[in-house]
Amino acid sequence: MYSNGFSLVGVLYPVFFVVVFALAVTLGVLLIRTLLWVIRALSAYTRERELRLDLLLAGDDPAAPPTPGGSAGPVV
């Protein structure tokens, strides 16, 4: 016999898809935020390395070990 009344599957099926869609959107947002954070962190790290290299080449790097005699090298 066919029943035209309340169906639990008829209610749970759309609710399931709404929950899956909300979960997919949440995971997508978290992935995008994580990617943006990683890109920002890598840019800062790369910029710091560039500045350290520039300071090292200029002889003004405070992290560089001191040279004997107090000069960065021979003056030509």
Side-chain angles (χ1 to χ4, degrees):
M1 295 206 186
Y2 182 71
S3 173
N4 210 7
F6 178 74
S7 173
L8 187 61
V9 174
V11 172
L12 291 180
Y13 195 70
V15 169
F16 173 75
F17 277 108
V18 168
V19 168
V20 168
F21 180 74
L23 183 63
V25 168
T26 303
L27 287 176
V29 167
L30 288 175
L31 178 65
I32 290 171
R33 287 179 55 120
T34 303
L35 283 174
L36 290 174
W37 179 82
V38 167
I39 289 169
R40 195 176 306 125
L42 284 174
S43 296
Y45 179 73
T46 303
R47 181 67 182 142
E48 182 204 2
R49 291 197 48 146
E50 288 173 353
L51 289 174
R52 281 190 182 269
L53 185 60
D54 288 344
L55 287 173
L56 181 67
L57 291 175
D60 295 335
D61 189 12
T67 56
S71 67
V75 177
V76 178

